[in-house]
Structures are given as C-alpha cells and as structure tokens.
Amino acid sequence: MTRHAAARRGSGAREPATGGGAAARRARRAAAAALAVAVVAATPARAGRLDALGSYEREAVEEALARLGVEVDERPAGKRVRRIHVVNLPVFGKDAGFLRVFNALHVTTRTSIVAREVFIEPGEPWDEEVVEDNRRRLNDGLFTALAAIVPVRSPEPGTVDVLVVTRDIWSLRMNSNIEVQDGVVTALFLTASENNLLGLRKHVSFVFDMDKSGWAIGPQYVDKNVLGTRLQLVTLARAIFRRDAQPALATGADLGLTGDFEGTSSRTDIVYPLWSLRRRWGAGLSVSHFDSVTRRFFGTEVAPFPLPVDVVEPPDCARPFADAPLRQVFDRTLVDVSATATRSYPGRVIHRLSWGYQLRRDRSHLRDRDAYDPALVACFESEALPRSELSSALTASYRLFTPRFVRYRNVDSFDLAEDATLGPSASAAVEVALEALGSDTNYVGLAAGLGWTVDWRGDGFVRVGASASTRIQQRDPAGGAEVGGFIDNSASASVRAVPPPVGPVRFVGAASAGTRFNEQANRIFALGGDNGLRGFPINFFQTPLGAQNHRFARANIEARTAPVRVWFWRAGLVAFYDVGGVSTGFRSMDLYHDVGIGLRTLIPQLQPFVFRLDWAVPLNGPTPGLAGSRVVFASQQAF
C-alpha cells in the first residue's frame, strides 16, 4: 500500500475528542463552523482568488467539520499535508426537512471513489493552486452538487490536514430538458438514469431526445474511471424516428411520436484527460456516425426552398420556382473517426500541443427528389446542401492560457461556484487533407483564436475574443473546377461583460458579430427564437442560401436578480433586451429588437444549471405577422 493510499484509509472517521463534555464539544463545533466561513473567505484572498463560500457550500462544510470534530487551520501556508479527510454527503441535507427520507432511495457515492479523485498528496506542501485545481476536478456536475476543500488543524506541529467535502446529486431520476417556443415543444430531452450505479459514479441511462425534426431513443453509458484508472469512456447509440406532424409540428399533448423509423446514430469516446494542470500527457479516440434525415426549419415549420422573397433573396436558379418550392428535407450520412495525443507544458503560462488524424465522410441527398422539378433539385443541391466529401487529414493544434482561476457566483447559476480563467488565451489549428491518404481532394484548413478575460473589481469580469478560419483548396472534387484558393473564410468577434452586482441585481451583457466570405459549404447565419432574438420565430432571419458573403450581429443584456431561497431551491427574476440582424453586408443590415421578462429556478440537489421561462415581445419586424408575444421554456441561461 502506498503512503497516499494509507493516508486515505479510514477517511471520514472521527478524530479522538480532546477534553470537555457535550457543551464544550458543541461550542468547539460552532466556533469551527464560524471559523470555516472566515478562513475560506480569507484564504482565497491570499491565493489571489476573490470568492467566499456560498450558503449551500457553507452548510456542507459546517456539517463535515462537525461530523469529524475538526477545526479549520487559518494558516496552512508553508505546512506539509499530513492526512486527507474525505466526507461525501447525501443528497438532501438538514435544510431539506422531511425530504431527507428520500436519501434512502439514493446510493451515496463511496468515500473511496471520491478519495481517488483527490490528487493532493500527503507530504507535499499546502499549495493553493493545486487545491483549487483539485476542487475544479471534483466539481463534476454529472455526479456532484458541490465540492469544497479546506485546510484543517493537524495534531502534528508544522503539518496541516485537508478536508474534502462533496455532496451527491440525486442519481436515480428522470433527467429532463424541455424547450417550448410559440406554443410548440421544439425540444424535449428525457433520461431514465442511474448516475451513480452502486455508488461507483458510473452513469447508465436510457435516453429520449426529441427536436423539431424527429425523436431518438437509445442507451448511454458514462464511466469517468474505467477499471479504477483515469481513463474515461462515453458511449451511446440512438434509433431515430420522424415526428408525424410535418410540416407543421404538433402542439399541446400531441408530440407526433408515431412517425416512421428514419435511421441511427452513435458515438464512442475514449479519453485519457489532462485531469490536473500538472499533467503532461493526454490522448483521445472518438468514433461517431449519423445516418438519418435532416430537416431545416423556418419558424416551427420545415423550411421551403426558396424561402419567401419578402424574407430573403433566393438564389437566381431558384427564382422561377418561388410558387412551387420544395421542402428542405435531405438524407445525410456522416462518419467521423479521430485520434489525438496532447503534450502539455505546465507553468505560469500553460502550453498544449496536440496532433492526430481525422477521417470524415459526409454525404447528403435531397429526399423525394423525383417529386420536384429537376432544375429546382439541381439548384437546391448546389446552393443549399452541405458539402459532400471524404476527407482524410493529419491535424495539429496549439493552445496557451494562463492558469489563473477565480470563482464567481450568481452569474449563470445560483449560489454555486462558477470558475473563470483570467488573462490571455490563444489557439491555432491546422488540418491537412491529402488525396494520397484517401481524401477526395487536397486542402489545408487553418483556424486561430485569441481571447482575454479581465477581472472586474473582484465580483465580475469582461471577456473579449476573436477567431478566424479558412480553407485553402484549388479544385472542386465534384467537377474539377477551380474554387478560388481561399474558401469558406470566416471571422468573428465577441465580448461578454459581467459587472459587479448593483444591490440585488446583476447585469449581464454580450455582443458578437461575424462574417463569412467566399462561402462554398452552403452555411448560413440565422437568428430568431432561442438563438439570440427570443421575440421572433425560430430562424426567421436568414442570410441567403447560395450567397458568397454572410454577416450577422447580435447583442443581449439581462438584469438578473439575486436568488431568493425558497426551502431547498432558489429562484430569481430576469428582464432582458435582445437586438440582432443578418445580411450579406453590415451596411445593409436591418436590426430587430425585443424585450421581455423571465423566471429562473435552480434545485441544486438535482442539477447545477438553472431552468428558465422567458416571455418576449418584438418591438419591430418586417411583417405584421410578428405581432404578439412569445414564450420560451428551456434549461440554462440564454447566453
């Protein structure tokens, strides 16, 4: 047995009490709980962090301190770690009242399973950066509602003990995510799952996943520690069916779930992650496939081709068919296999170099093509279908960032810690596809990104970023024609500002703009619905199919109240404003606006993200049909 394993054995056992009776013990526990709040608030300041424990975490730490009969060490710096204490708490704590009886229906994670995720080593000096790195590793939203690590007093002079506190998320449940727009269920995700099989943190589930086009069912398995190692496995398979109500989707209780079988999809990822900032090597293998039907939507209906002229200019070849359009429904087969290895170089600036290989086959064909005019079919396939190709490519990428992390609260979630990386970040990637390796054509793909995050007075931040990509290709493999060298060019810029709260309200704003030029892959920009303009129908604003140039711009601002605690859950209100537009040029772009209010709720025992209900009203629009309001119900913040 290693010294590390020996030190962890027995974690969770009470240390011998020293002196006094029950009253003295209660006094010591009360003092320890109070000291925990003060020390964890003060310790991050010495380490450069700007957070304090949230109430949910504070209650868990207080319970763990009382259970072990230990006290916080307010001066751990310079001391060596003697022992690791691990306390994993059941789902429902003291504040949940009678709901604690449901803990009997949940298999609490075994202490040894949590302990093996702790890479703080006995004998090492107390290191705030390593402690925070380990806390982020433990804070896995699939299994854990919270994770906290605090220094506690050791009986040996010059040493410190480490207390690791986690709390399980309810594991045996029906996970859900629903999105409703314009009175239509546009997305519904349900899983009958056991997230913590036998207390081993193995996730087994049966998934139902519905979108506007169809619904899929199948099993899923997630193992973050295969055979007790750091190796991770995620695998899933789906059978895909059509929603009956086409082109108009079903509303109300009728979800159109009796449609025909349309195909399958699957994905398997095997990853050896960089599970600590100190790790130097990582690797991954991914295999996926999709063989089914794809539908594009305009509002809640399958999009016609061409779209109405008063919405977007059609390609020249589609103009004669404006009165007899086809529906944008096509068969797509996609197979993707990739393998990568990563070398990380730890330090004050972390550099990561990855290289690998990717094989990708993408084929698309218009469905029911014999039902339409051959000229219209040819126009759609050339101007609207995704690029069909086989690519076999060598890949390489580089990334750098500064490992300066801070914790914020009440930004995207309620009360729970949210980690952000400060300072600069940069990335670059190259993909070289060669006919000699089996590709349809030779090309080089290039991409790069830059970003910077700055702290804002200790309780907010500003993040700016920019990215660009291009593809260098001389010949179209389908016809052998010259395609212009640099194609599928894109560039974008974004900013997100989260200022410190003003009283009980926190403002959150984001803005982004992007461009594509010499576009050959038939990609477009679209806004409307839950992708930036909540007061308008889904994808109502689109850039023209077949156009060479595409532009978009959007901005959103929300005023989010601090959460109000209601029993064991949290709730808050939101007021918002959205603005955005798409066009073939920024100067010709019309901007559209909406305003609204919303509700946010969080049940931390069930999931770490909020549910939201938004009611939005458009302020302007190109057609009278946009009058009225729209309701969106979904998970996670809108931006």
Side-chain angles (χ1 to χ4, degrees):
M1 181 182 296
T2 66
R3 179 177 60 177
H4 194 189
R8 288 184 186 165
R9 173 169 283 188
S11 291
R14 181 183 296 273
E15 290 285 327
T18 55
R25 288 195 296 271
R26 284 195 298 270
R28 284 198 302 271
R29 292 171 185 171
L35 187 57
V37 178
V39 168
V40 178
T43 300
R46 294 196 303 270
R49 303 193 307 267
L50 305 171
D51 63 292
L53 288 177
S55 62
Y56 191 57
E57 296 161 334
R58 184 183 307 124
E59 291 164 1
V61 169
E62 290 172 356
E63 183 176 345
L65 289 168
R67 177 181 295 187
L68 298 181
V70 296
E71 299 178 350
V72 172
D73 188 336
E74 63 272 23
R75 291 185 175 85
K79 298 179 180 178
R80 293 198 171 273
V81 175
R82 182 189 72 98
R83 180 181 179 185
I84 313 292
H85 302 273
V86 177
V87 176
N88 184 57
L89 300 172
V91 175
F92 295 104
K94 297 177 180 179
D95 64 324
F98 75 89
L99 292 178
R100 285 181 293 171
V101 301
F102 290 103
N103 287 331
L105 302 178
H106 168 84
V107 180
T108 304
T109 302
R110 301 178 187 181
T111 301
S112 60
I113 300 300
V114 179
R116 71 186 182 191
E117 296 299 316
V118 180
F119 50 77
I120 303 169
E121 294 282 351
E124 293 183 344
W126 173 269
D127 188 322
E128 292 284 352
E129 292 183 356
V130 174
V131 168
E132 275 298 281
D133 188 17
N134 205 159
R135 181 194 62 80
R136 289 188 296 271
R137 166 72 179 178
L138 289 165
N139 199 18
D140 187 330
L142 185 62
F143 308 112
T144 306
L146 65 87
I149 302 178
V150 295
V152 295
R153 292 179 180 174
S154 165
E156 297 180 12
T159 64
V160 62
D161 287 355
V162 177
L163 173 60
V164 177
V165 184
T166 58
R167 186 185 290 280
D168 276 4
I169 283 181
W170 182 260
S171 61
L172 182 60
R173 56 183 175 156
M174 180 71 77
N175 302 310
S176 64
N177 183 9
I178 185 171
E179 182 176 299
V180 180
Q181 300 190 57
D182 297 339
V184 173
V185 179
T186 55
L188 178 62
F189 181 82
L190 301 171
T191 64
S193 69
E194 172 52 64
N195 284 14
N196 195 16
L197 185 66
L198 302 177
L200 299 174
R201 291 194 170 181
K202 315 293 185 185
H203 168 98
V204 180
S205 63
F206 191 81
V207 176
F208 171 90
D209 190 1
M210 184 185 75
D211 60 16
K212 297 185 292 294
S213 177
W215 52 283
I217 56 173
Q220 178 170 299
Y221 177 72
V222 179
D223 189 342
K224 296 291 186 76
N225 297 99
V226 178
L227 300 176
T229 69
R230 302 286 186 182
L231 196 65
Q232 298 183 358
L233 169 66
V234 178
T235 185
L236 58 90
R238 302 283 186 269
I240 303 171
F241 300 84
R242 175 177 61 88
R243 287 181 75 174
D244 267 345
Q246 300 290 345
L249 296 182
T251 59
D254 181 10
L255 297 176
L257 301 183
T258 59
D260 297 332
F261 172 77
E262 290 191 330
T264 60
S265 67
S266 67
R267 183 179 185 92
T268 297
D269 295 332
I270 302 175
V271 179
Y272 187 79
L274 291 164
W275 43 269
S276 163
L277 292 175
R278 295 183 294 180
R279 299 300 302 173
R280 296 181 180 273
W281 288 99
L285 173 67
S286 179
V287 180
S288 66
H289 97 281
F290 175 88
D291 185 7
S292 190
V293 179
T294 297
R295 295 175 176 87
R296 290 178 178 151
F297 282 82
F298 179 65
T300 56
E301 297 185 355
V302 176
F305 177 84
L307 289 173
V309 177
D310 61 345
V311 174
V312 64
E313 286 293 321
D316 290 340
C317 60
R319 289 180 183 276
F321 305 98
D323 295 330
L326 59 77
R327 295 289 173 180
Q328 295 193 42
V329 181
F330 53 93
D331 295 306
R332 190 173 192 184
T333 301
L334 177 62
V335 178
D336 198 321
V337 179
S338 63
T340 59
T342 300
R343 174 66 161 91
S344 181
Y345 298 87
R348 307 312 299 178
V349 176
I350 291 182
H351 305 265
R352 289 179 177 172
L353 179 63
S354 300
W355 60 94
Y357 170 78
Q358 182 179 46
L359 176 67
R360 192 172 191 267
R361 183 179 186 273
D362 194 347
R363 295 285 187 264
S364 298
H365 305 279
L366 178 67
R367 198 171 181 84
D368 301 326
R369 64 198 317 268
D370 294 338
Y372 304 106
D373 188 296
L376 178 60
V377 171
C379 180
F380 175 77
E381 291 182 342
S382 65
E383 304 293 339
L385 276 186
R387 177 188 287 117
S388 290
E389 70 175 356
L390 172 66
S391 66
S392 178
L394 302 176
T395 63
S397 63
Y398 168 76
R399 180 189 174 209
L400 73 83
F401 65 96
T402 52
R404 295 173 52 212
F405 295 89
V406 293
R407 275 186 283 173
Y408 301 102
R409 300 186 191 279
N410 302 328
V411 177
D412 291 329
S413 189
F414 285 157
D415 204 17
L416 302 179
E418 304 174 48
D419 294 295
T421 308
L422 297 182
S425 62
S427 64
V430 60
E431 173 187 1
V432 181
L434 300 171
E435 294 178 2
L437 295 177
S439 286
D440 287 343
T441 188
N442 297 320
Y443 71 84
V444 176
L446 301 173
L450 292 171
W452 201 293
T453 304
V454 179
D455 181 69
W456 191 338
R457 294 173 53 193
D459 197 10
F461 61 88
V462 176
R463 179 179 296 133
V464 295
S467 63
S469 65
T470 189
R471 176 166 165 150
I472 306 172
Q473 178 179 325
Q474 297 297 328
R475 183 174 58 83
D476 181 356
E482 295 292 325
V483 295
F486 289 87
I487 65 173
D488 299 343
N489 307 293
S490 67
S492 63
S494 64
V495 59
R496 189 170 194 234
V498 183
V502 179
V505 176
R506 184 191 287 276
F507 290 90
V508 178
S512 58
T515 178
R516 292 185 178 133
F517 51 99
N518 199 7
E519 175 63 31
Q520 302 291 323
N522 295 330
R523 299 172 299 174
I524 64 172
F525 288 129
L527 286 177
D530 203 34
N531 66 354
L533 289 174
R534 283 165 277 187
F536 297 87
I538 300 167
N539 296 338
F540 189 83
F541 306 104
Q542 300 185 16
T543 51
L545 284 165
Q548 294 290 300
N549 300 313
H550 303 258
R551 312 285 187 266
F552 89 92
R554 58 173 280 192
N556 312 86
I557 186 169
E558 290 188 347
R560 303 173 183 174
T561 69
V564 175
R565 181 170 177 174
V566 182
W567 197 6
F568 59 90
W569 58 284
R570 278 79 170 160
L573 299 176
V574 165
F576 61 84
Y577 166 72
D578 303 324
V579 59
V582 298
S583 182
T584 55
F586 286 114
R587 291 184 178 180
S588 61
M589 183 181 297
D590 294 321
L591 296 178
Y592 299 95
H593 313 257
D594 66 60
V595 295
I597 58 175
L599 173 69
R600 304 289 185 266
T601 63
L602 172 71
I603 303 176
Q605 293 87 350
L606 300 183
Q607 77 282 313
F609 52 82
V610 299
F611 279 99
R612 60 187 173 89
L613 178 66
D614 288 335
W615 177 67
V617 178
L619 299 181
N620 64 334
T623 65
L626 291 178
S629 60
R630 285 175 168 77
V631 175
V632 177
F633 178 67
S635 64
Q636 304 186 1
Q637 300 283 7
F639 65 92

